[in-house]
Amino acid sequence: MTDPRPESTAPGGLLIDWIDQDGRVAAINDREARELGVDAQQIVGQALERIYGSNSAQLIKSVARGERLADPSFPVWMNSAAYDEVPMVATAYQDGARGLAVVKQVLSPATLGIGPELNERVEILSQMIGAATEACWCIEFLEPVDISLAEEEIVDRIFTNQSRWRACNEAMARLYNVPEGLDFNTQPVSRYFPDTAVNRAMVRDLVRSNYRLDHAAAVDQRHDGSEMLVENDFRAAIKDGFLIRLWGTTRDIGPHKLREQQLFDRATAMLDILSAAPDPILVIAEDGLLLAANPAAETAWGRAADQTLGRPIQDFVETRNALSKLRHASLEDEDGESECDLTMIAADNGRDIWRFRVAGIEGEMRRYVLTARRKSRRRVRALLSEVAS
């Protein structure tokens, strides 16, 4: 049999490739190499998904392995140089030692009978994804991942099997600072999604969650190699026990996490300050429940925080209508002292008069910060004398 690979033996510009029994590319003719934008020599030995859509690749593999017979002609989809899937009609036959020969001809939309309506629907979906403000992505595995393997082997193969970006939108390119004019979909997957301990842990969670995972944190890389903390929502396409595609959305959560850390650091600093303050400090809710107390408050009245928090402040005050007095003090104008005196009951049942400075904190729920200072014994006796006289 003559070698059908030379261009002269491919009538009408037919695309021809040969597939071995392992489902890998054994050879392709020059016409197909040009149409798909691949090197005819470098493509040899690569997975069939490198040039065929996943469903078409699975069909041709089963024919090459003798698991099923091919129809006299059947449709296939091939991956073009522009990262689109091109519909074709194919015929397959065994070509001796060369393997399975697959001969194809490109089909136009009119030939397929899909009509303008389907074209319009595809265009609408593409426009919706392209115009989305959230980064949308898809990773297609040119070497599908066998999900029957052990968990760690699946994780390894997700990072090492041949894969490529598909249908990633402009928001994705902007998120990763891809230079203007450079197509994100042509870049290596590992450039932006590197194999790191953090990302492996995320993929491990994905496997354990049956390939559906939301709000998964990862550390990706921008185009310039700088790290970026992101959050992903994952979905998967699995066929015949093989993972063929992952897709989802990505958000940059670095600024949010930075803000959280700044607030945490500020809160920690405030707690340190409150812990070091020599005067008792309390925080109460609008209804008078104790929300917080510093160590000086515990020392002053002899009660640990877990004995007081969540209880009304009136439980520890002998003065009647303590909450009303504190609220009134917080409403004093700038010329007022915003203070009131309360007789506190210590854990040993002792009584002392304390002067409280009150500051209101606005928010979804109003709160009050109380700073206390014990009045001197001499001052207390003087006040009692005034009352007695």
Side-chain angles (χ1 to χ4, degrees):
M1 179 182 293
T2 59
D3 188 343
R5 281 172 287 183
E7 196 67 25
S8 60
T9 60
L14 295 177
L15 285 68
I16 308 176
D17 52 52
W18 289 261
I19 312 303
D20 63 25
Q21 290 186 343
D22 294 325
R24 295 184 176 274
V25 180
I28 65 174
N29 71 344
D30 293 338
R31 172 74 179 188
E32 182 166 318
R34 286 200 303 271
E35 287 288 331
L36 304 185
V38 299
D39 186 297
Q41 299 301 319
Q42 292 183 358
I43 200 68
V44 172
Q46 294 198 26
L48 201 55
E49 284 82 0
R50 178 65 180 81
I51 57 176
Y52 285 95
S54 56
N55 290 336
S56 299
Q58 293 301 316
L59 168 62
I60 296 172
K61 282 181 183 179
S62 64
V63 174
R65 294 167 182 163
E67 298 170 353
R68 63 175 294 178
L69 294 175
D71 294 331
S73 62
F74 54 93
V76 295
W77 294 79
M78 300 201 74
N79 302 325
S80 75
Y83 290 84
D84 296 322
E85 289 191 354
V86 180
M88 302 187 186
V89 62
T91 298
Y93 62 90
Q94 291 295 335
D95 192 11
R98 294 175 178 170
L100 181 72
V102 184
V103 183
K104 299 163 294 293
Q105 186 171 21
V106 177
L107 292 175
S108 67
T111 304
L112 285 173
I114 61 177
E117 182 179 350
L118 185 54
N119 280 334
E120 183 181 23
R121 292 183 183 182
V122 172
E123 182 180 358
I124 290 172
L125 288 174
S126 297
Q127 289 174 346
M128 289 173 63
I129 295 173
T133 56
E134 193 166 45
C136 301
W137 55 269
C138 174
I139 297 174
E140 183 175 63
F141 291 95
L142 304 178
E143 294 179 286
V145 178
D146 184 352
I147 63 172
S148 68
L149 299 171
E151 178 183 285
E152 208 55 36
E153 181 67 19
I154 295 173
V155 174
D156 285 337
R157 296 198 178 193
I158 286 177
F159 283 101
T160 59
N161 280 19
Q162 288 189 65
S163 61
R164 64 171 181 171
W165 298 109
R166 291 292 305 275
C168 299
N169 64 355
E170 283 299 318
M172 190 75 172
R174 289 193 299 270
L175 180 62
Y176 288 82
N177 293 341
V178 175
E180 191 71 28
L182 184 62
D183 186 354
F184 185 97
N185 295 287
T186 64
Q187 302 302 297
V189 171
S190 60
R191 178 164 194 165
Y192 308 113
F193 182 47
D195 183 354
T196 64
V198 173
N199 292 350
R200 276 181 166 263
M202 181 190 66
V203 171
R204 200 173 293 115
D205 290 340
L206 175 66
V207 174
R208 293 172 181 174
S209 64
N210 199 27
Y211 303 93
R212 183 186 180 95
L213 186 63
D214 291 332
H215 310 297
V219 179
D220 286 2
Q221 290 183 168
R222 298 182 181 87
H223 189 78
D224 62 5
S226 60
E227 290 188 342
M228 174 173 59
L229 183 61
V230 299
E231 184 180 75
N232 295 290
D233 295 337
F234 280 93
R235 298 295 183 269
I238 296 173
K239 186 175 179 62
D240 298 329
F242 285 85
L243 174 66
I244 60 176
R245 199 174 294 118
L246 287 172
W247 76 90
T249 57
T250 296
R251 297 167 292 280
D252 180 3
I253 59 172
H256 174 70
K257 289 296 182 182
L258 177 61
R259 177 61 175 164
E260 280 187 351
Q261 186 62 48
Q262 289 173 338
L263 291 174
F264 177 79
D265 292 343
R266 288 173 60 185
T268 301
M270 291 302 298
L271 287 174
D272 290 342
I273 293 171
L274 291 176
S275 297
D279 294 329
I281 299 175
L282 304 174
V283 180
I284 65 171
E286 177 70 20
D287 58 4
L289 295 182
L290 281 163
L291 302 177
N294 72 340
E298 299 180 22
T299 302
W301 298 305
R303 294 185 181 88
D306 59 4
Q307 297 176 313
T308 59
L309 299 186
R311 295 175 59 184
I313 191 172
Q314 188 67 61
D315 289 356
F316 313 105
V317 181
E318 191 171 61
T319 308
R320 292 183 180 181
N321 301 317
L323 181 58
S324 297
K325 294 178 182 294
L326 292 168
R327 285 176 177 168
H328 180 74
S330 73
L331 298 175
E332 292 288 339
D333 59 25
E334 294 182 358
D335 295 330
E337 295 183 344
S338 299
E339 296 177 343
C340 68
D341 292 340
L342 301 176
T343 300
M344 301 297 294
I345 306 171
D348 61 3
N349 214 33
R351 267 73 167 168
D352 277 307
I353 297 176
W354 290 75
R355 172 153 291 182
F356 284 84
R357 181 176 291 276
V358 187
I361 302 176
E362 298 295 339
E364 292 184 9
M365 299 180 63
R366 185 172 174 82
R367 292 161 294 170
Y368 302 92
V369 177
L370 317 178
T371 305
R373 181 160 294 180
R374 181 160 43 193
K375 302 190 72 169
S376 67
R377 299 288 183 180
R378 181 180 301 175
R379 177 61 176 160
V380 170
R381 284 195 297 269
L383 289 173
L384 294 175
S385 297
E386 290 177 8
V387 173
S389 62

